[in-house]
Amino acid sequence: MTETAETTTQHGTTETPETSTQPGTTVPTTCRSPESHQHGAFDCFVSNSLLICDLLCDPGYAVKHGSRTSCTNGFWQREPREMICESSILLVTGGSMEGKEAELYSTD
C-alpha cells in the first residue's frame, strides 16, 4: 500500500510518495522530495515505486557531477544534499573563419 501527497515545486506539481508499506509487511518506508537548493530546485516524479528527482539549476548555473537521483525504501541512490549548482561559463567555438573564433559567456 502506498500513500501519496501532492507537492508543488518551482517547476510544477508532482505526486510524491510520503510513506509506503511493502506487501506482506507493516514496516513504513519514506521518500520525500528534497528541498530546493541554492541556485536550483528539484523536479521529482514517481515511476514504479521509485521517486526520481532531477536538479534543475537557475540560468548561469550548472549541476556538478550529475543531475539525477532516486529514492526507494527511504534510501537515496545519491544524497540530494551532495548535489550542487555551481556558476558556469559557456565557450562557443567555430564560426565563419574556419574555427578560429571563440566566444566566452559568463554571468559575471
Side-chain angles (χ1 to χ4, degrees):
M1 177 180 155
T2 300
E3 296 176 22
T4 59
E6 262 189 3
T7 57
T8 302
T9 66
Q10 147 182 350
H11 302 284
T13 301
T14 60
E15 265 193 7
T16 305
E18 297 230 346
T19 58
S20 64
T21 305
Q22 298 300 322
T25 71
T26 57
V27 179
T29 58
T30 303
C31 289
R32 291 181 181 241
S33 294
E35 294 182 18
S36 293
H37 262 260
Q38 182 178 9
H39 308 296
F42 283 97
D43 188 29
C44 301
F45 62 95
V46 176
S47 176
N48 297 325
S49 334
L50 195 64
L51 177 63
I52 301 171
C53 297
D54 295 306
L55 179 56
L56 305 176
C57 295
D58 296 336
Y61 292 85
V63 177
K64 183 176 181 179
H65 304 299
S67 63
R68 180 169 278 189
T69 188
S70 60
C71 180
T72 185
N73 296 326
F75 295 99
W76 287 97
Q77 171 256 337
R78 183 169 177 210
E79 284 294 328
R81 68 178 179 270
E82 296 174 1
M83 301 169 68
I84 60 170
C85 293
E86 63 182 5
S87 184
S88 63
I89 59 172
L90 172 66
L91 175 64
V92 179
T93 62
S96 61
M97 299 187 67
E98 298 177 23
K100 295 183 180 180
E101 287 187 10
E103 296 176 17
L104 188 61
Y105 296 91
S106 171
T107 57
D108 297 332

